[in-house]
């Protein structure tokens, strides 16, 4: 089946923010006291606890797009043992890659090992649940299942404990299940898996809207916009009872970020697939069509030493800005690697 160009470019945009713009902005803010750099850096950092900033949308969008791709990759009419093995394999590989990135697997030191702490692992579980739902349930039941996941997540969160970092129910579950193998305690994972799955399901539902042959592209765009606005309204309404909190991945946060994801998808879909205008955006496919490679290389390999080895003579001239220069160089090397892989049709898939 033909690839959805808008999805590749939107995924590339998300990864470009994560792997290029974000690190450069953070490095710039570290050496500049200008008001505009501080303001920019504020939006490229996570909210301290409740609330959302632009940076809090990066991970949900990544997870949402994993869901969008499911209806294009899995077909109900070709169910069989092979497809279930494929789903299980992908879940396991994403979980192991997440352990490599953030779980301390490559330290070969049990004392530094953490178990469930990374975006790829959250995507893996979300993908597995969403794929099973898509292959076994009607669209109506998929919607009801998504609502059920958010409700099941929310009930003990609203009735047990409070919404502080140490007092919330999801933190209690992580502490009980993961014990000393948990990561940063300001983020929760085990109970939040229900909400991860809901985010991925929202993406899978949007993918089915796009694939629905009875709709024109203009109608698809309007439906995506309408659903996005509906999710935003429901999410902010629910936020009055269950705080919008990305670190806990609350149900209200799932709906709000899902709404923004729908609107972003609608925008990119309309511009790229409806108007067929992608001039100046095609390079984002270097990231978007090699998402796993981009994320793994960007998170695991530091090219700063390579940049330093060929530019250390500039350090006296750049002064405090030399670190910014190294960060920019590191991000640029990754970009060039992804460009080379794209041009040579080398794509990492799990």
């Amino acid at each position: 089946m033909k690839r959805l160009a808008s999805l590749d470019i939107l995924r590339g945009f998300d990864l470009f923010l994560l792997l290029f713009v974000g690190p450069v902005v953070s490095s710039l803010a570290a050496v500049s006291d200008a008001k505009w750099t501080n303001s920019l850096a504020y939006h490229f950092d996570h909210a301290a606890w409740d609330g959302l900033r632009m940076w809090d949308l990066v991970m949900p969008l990544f997870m949402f797009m994993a869901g969008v791709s499911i209806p294009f990759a899995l077909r109900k009419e070709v169910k069989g043992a092979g497809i279930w093995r494929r789903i299980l394999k992908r879940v396991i590989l994403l979980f192991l890659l997440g352990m490599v990135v953030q779980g301390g697997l490559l330290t070969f030191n049990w004392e530094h090992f953490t178990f469930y702490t990374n975006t790829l692992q959250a995507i893996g579980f979300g993908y597995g649940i969403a794929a099973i739902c898509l292959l076994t349930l009607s669209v109506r039941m998929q919607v009801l299942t998504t609502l059920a996941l958010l409700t099941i997540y929310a009930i003990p969160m609203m009735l047990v404990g409070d919404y502080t970092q140490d007092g919330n129910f999801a933190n209690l579950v992580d502490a009980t299940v993961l014990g000393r193998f948990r990561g940063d305690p300001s983020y929760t994972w085990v109970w939040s898996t229900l909400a991860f799955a809901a985010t991925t399901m929202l993406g899978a539902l949007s993918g089915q809207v796009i694939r629905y042959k009875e709709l024109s592209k203009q109608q698809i765009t309007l439906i995506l916009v309408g659903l996005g606005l509906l999710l935003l309204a429901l999410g902010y309404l629910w936020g009055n009872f269950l705080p919008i909190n990305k670190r806990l991945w609350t149900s209200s946060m799932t709906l709000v970020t899902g709404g923004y994801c729908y609107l972003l998808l609608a925008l990119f879909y309309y511009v790229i697939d409806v108007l067929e205008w992608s001039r100046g955006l095609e390079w984002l496919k270097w990231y978007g069509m090699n998402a796993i490679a981009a994320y793994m290389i960007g998170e695991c390999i530091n090219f700063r030493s390579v940049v330093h080895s060929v530019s250390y003579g500039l350090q006296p001239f750049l002064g405090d800005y030399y670190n910014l220069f190294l960060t920019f160089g590191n991000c640029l090397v990754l970009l060039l690697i992804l460009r080379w892989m794209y041009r040579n049709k080398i794509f990492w898939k799990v």
Side-chain angles (χ1 to χ4, degrees):
M1 180 176 291
K2 183 180 177 182
R3 294 184 67 94
L4 187 64
S6 55
L7 181 60
D8 286 331
I9 291 175
L10 178 57
R11 188 187 296 112
F13 173 72
D14 194 37
L15 285 165
F16 177 63
L17 289 178
L18 176 66
L19 300 172
F20 200 119
V21 181
V24 170
V25 167
S26 296
S27 293
L28 176 61
V31 295
S32 173
D33 290 328
K35 185 176 180 180
W36 71 271
T37 57
N38 291 331
S39 177
L40 189 61
Y42 174 86
H43 293 288
F44 277 85
D45 194 9
H46 293 298
W49 193 242
D50 291 340
L52 284 179
R53 300 181 191 176
M54 187 277 291
W55 200 237
D56 291 313
L57 188 59
V58 172
M59 180 178 170
L61 182 57
F62 199 16
M63 194 176 299
F64 176 87
M65 288 185 290
V68 177
S69 66
I70 294 175
F72 294 89
L74 303 180
R75 305 286 293 277
K76 285 188 177 182
E77 57 267 29
V78 293
K79 283 191 295 185
I83 202 167
W84 299 116
R85 285 195 298 270
R86 176 181 170 188
I87 292 169
L88 180 61
K89 174 186 174 184
R90 191 159 199 246
V91 172
I92 292 173
L93 285 176
L94 285 170
F95 194 85
L96 290 175
L97 291 175
M99 289 168 64
V100 170
V101 173
Q102 214 160 331
L105 193 62
L106 296 184
T107 65
F108 304 109
N109 187 332
W110 192 251
E111 295 299 318
H112 297 156
F113 176 77
T114 54
F115 189 65
Y116 185 7
T117 56
N118 184 259
T119 300
L120 292 180
Q121 296 171 316
I123 290 175
F125 283 129
Y127 165 83
I129 295 170
I132 291 171
C133 290
L134 185 140
L135 292 174
T136 59
L137 302 176
S138 66
V139 173
R140 178 175 178 272
M141 287 305 299
Q142 290 173 45
V143 173
L144 293 176
T145 299
T146 303
L147 293 175
L149 288 168
L150 294 174
T151 303
I152 294 169
Y153 169 91
I155 290 173
M157 291 291 291
M158 297 173 71
L159 298 179
V160 180
D162 52 36
Y163 300 122
T164 63
Q165 179 177 317
D166 297 325
N168 68 84
F169 177 77
N171 176 71
L172 174 63
V173 173
D174 267 20
T176 302
V177 176
L178 299 178
R180 84 136 207 91
F181 297 107
R182 69 183 302 195
D184 183 352
S186 66
Y187 290 88
T188 59
W189 299 89
V190 177
W191 190 249
S192 298
T193 298
L194 296 170
F196 297 155
T199 294
T200 314
M201 279 299 302
L202 290 175
L205 289 167
S206 71
Q208 290 172 88
V209 170
I210 294 173
R211 284 199 67 233
Y212 192 61
K213 296 180 180 179
E214 301 300 319
L215 298 172
S216 68
K217 290 183 176 181
Q218 289 78 8
Q219 289 174 319
I220 290 171
T221 304
L222 290 175
I223 291 173
L224 292 176
V225 170
L227 290 174
L229 294 175
L230 175 62
L231 289 172
L232 284 174
L234 292 174
Y236 280 116
L237 179 62
W238 203 343
N240 292 316
F241 308 96
L242 179 64
I244 297 171
N245 187 306
K246 189 260 183 186
R247 294 174 183 268
L248 300 176
W249 214 280
T250 56
S251 300
S252 55
M253 176 269 183
T254 301
L255 292 177
V256 169
T257 56
Y260 287 123
C261 288
Y262 265 85
L263 295 179
L264 281 170
L265 180 60
L267 174 63
F268 277 68
Y269 179 79
Y270 182 73
V271 171
I272 295 165
D273 289 307
V274 179
L275 299 182
E276 298 183 348
W277 186 86
S278 60
R279 185 177 180 181
L281 299 175
E282 289 289 330
W283 64 274
L284 288 170
K285 290 183 178 180
W286 303 348
Y287 288 97
M289 291 181 66
N290 235 332
I292 297 297
Y295 185 79
M296 291 298 297
I297 296 172
E299 293 292 322
C300 295
I301 303 178
N302 192 339
F303 297 106
R304 291 166 64 90
S305 58
V306 176
V307 179
H308 174 68
S309 67
V310 297
S311 64
Y312 58 89
L314 295 175
Q315 188 169 2
F317 302 99
L318 294 176
D320 292 339
Y321 286 88
Y322 185 64
N323 184 64
L324 171 62
F325 175 80
L326 293 180
T327 300
F328 182 85
N330 176 71
C331 298
L332 182 60
V333 170
L334 173 60
L335 177 65
L336 294 176
I337 290 173
L338 294 172
R339 177 179 180 270
W340 175 82
M341 293 178 71
Y342 178 82
R343 292 198 166 188
N344 288 276
K345 295 180 170 32
I346 301 172
F347 303 106
W348 290 6
K349 298 183 183 297
V350 295

